[in-house]
Amino acid sequence: MTGNEVLIKTPEEAIETIKSNMPTSGYQMLRESLDMAITALEEIPQYWAIGTVEECREAAENQIPKTPDYEGDGYADGHMVYDTWICPNCGEYYEVDHDDYRYCPNCGQALDHVI
Ligand SMILES: [Zn+2]
């Protein structure tokens, strides 16, 4: 074993190590602290699954529909023909009528089509 090798790689291993080295008497403040650490370690995998606060905020904002930008390629009968829509979040280009998505396939942004 080298000095820098990490032996504890998961919260479960940390919990088992704490439990097997927990003082059985005395050290009340240490035992309370270790109990608190075990509780926190048990909850950590749930938070990892949820993601970071920033990732959650971004995912929530992506659920609010945004209207794409539309680009036309010219006039027909005096009206602009819009044949391209652009994701307002990631800027990906799509074809009007052909690419009819409620959510951008590239970034997951909810979309509110007006055409
Ligand atoms: Zn997008």
Side-chain angles (χ1 to χ4, degrees):
M1 178 189 141
T2 66
N4 294 329
E5 189 178 354
V6 176
L7 300 176
I8 305 295
K9 295 185 173 70
T10 67
E12 291 79 13
E13 291 172 348
I15 290 167
E16 283 312 305
T17 300
I18 291 170
K19 283 181 176 174
S20 61
N21 290 283
M22 181 84 79
T24 50
S25 63
Y27 303 102
Q28 185 176 349
M29 288 172 68
L30 176 60
R31 283 189 284 123
E32 285 180 19
S33 298
L34 292 173
D35 282 339
M36 195 178 287
I38 287 170
T39 301
L41 285 164
E42 286 169 345
E43 291 173 356
I44 269 185
Q46 297 169 44
Y47 289 105
W48 286 345
I50 292 167
T52 65
V53 171
E54 177 60 26
E55 287 168 340
C56 288
R57 192 184 58 77
E58 203 175 298
E61 284 178 1
N62 273 8
Q63 296 309 300
I64 301 166
K66 289 182 185 166
T67 303
D69 297 319
Y70 292 89
E71 277 187 5
D73 74 340
Y75 286 90
D77 300 327
H79 299 286
M80 175 64 83
V81 176
Y82 293 99
D83 65 344
T84 302
W85 61 270
I86 305 160
C87 175
N89 187 50
C90 71
E92 188 76 12
Y93 279 64
Y94 295 98
E95 205 176 313
V96 169
D97 293 332
H98 184 261
D99 298 317
D100 189 17
Y101 303 117
R102 307 287 302 156
Y103 296 89
C104 174
N106 188 48
C107 72
Q109 173 65 51
L111 299 163
D112 190 11
H113 288 280
V114 293
I115 287 183

